[in-house]
Amino acid sequence: MTKRVLLYGAMLGIVVVSLFPFFWMVVTSLKPDADIFTKTPEFLPTSPIFDRYLHLFDGPVPRQFLNSVLVAGATTLITGVIALLAGYALARYKIPLRRYLLIVILSIQMLPQTVLVIPLFVVLRNTDLLGTYQGLILSHLALTVGLATYMLRSFYLDIPVELEESAMVDGASRLKAVRLVVFPLVWPGLAASSIYGFITSWNELMFSATYMQQSERETLPVALQQYFSSYYSDWGGVMAASVIFTIPVVVFFLLVQKRLMQGMVAGAVKG
């Protein structure tokens, strides 16, 4: 009984610590400016205001929100498809110099993002993709595909190759064996890589600010910069925009979590 109480107490403490920043963000977005800058912080607003949220929906934020959803969604989808196929090839086939190829993939992920800005700018300019959604999505793929491929390769290596061979002995082609046997078992890896790809693309600022020069194509991370200037920082507006900014990430994680659990159960049954 004591162990259970300690376990639940520890879980409750982790939940409180994890959710407190979001709680404080929501509370701050509802406070008047005078209450935000008090020496003694108030955990609940005495007179909450909702004008900041109304101002967000009256401005360019809805368009910027849709831009972020479009870019992050497309980046996540393309990353998942490429990583799903490339991870399988690296795990199952004896590709020449495969070890060095994996080192190159990981080395690219270790490069700072600033190193990629100018080369990608030149590529997008020469291909007339500068300032387009397609160009921004391709630049985000440079940040997500490598690590997602490596993650899925690790999941493929944990799946016994004998499962595919048994299906092929029963008459299935390799493609059918992979589709019906392997892919259902790799759902946890695909879910994890999708979460990584979506969050990386959703939070990305440098490429979006550099390549998307038209205001109607800006994403939300770029929009958040308008609340800061050399003379004043609108923290209430930042917090209100951050609440809207955070909701899609939470919703996407909850949707993918279902697939994550389904993949774990499938692996437990079929393994």
Side-chain angles (χ1 to χ4, degrees), residues 4 7 24 29 34 44 49 61 76 101 115 120-121 133-134 136 139 141 177 183 190 222 224 240 257:
R4 180 174 298 181
L7 177 62
W24 190 251
S29 69
L44 292 176
I49 57 175
V61 170
T76 304
L101 179 60
V115 176
L120 286 176
F121 181 88
Y133 295 122
Q134 299 93 321
L136 185 59
S139 65
L141 292 177
F183 281 175
L190 183 60
V222 180
L224 290 177
Q257 185 186 30

Side-chain angles (χ1 to χ4, degrees), residues 131-163:
T132 64
Y133 295 122
Q134 299 93 321
L136 185 59
I137 291 169
L138 289 175
S139 65
H140 285 184
L141 292 177
L143 304 176
T144 59
V145 169
L147 186 58
T149 299
Y150 192 84
M151 290 168 61
L152 279 171
R153 174 184 175 271
S154 300
F155 277 89
Y156 280 122
L157 292 176
D158 291 335
I159 299 175
V161 69
E162 289 77 13
L163 294 177

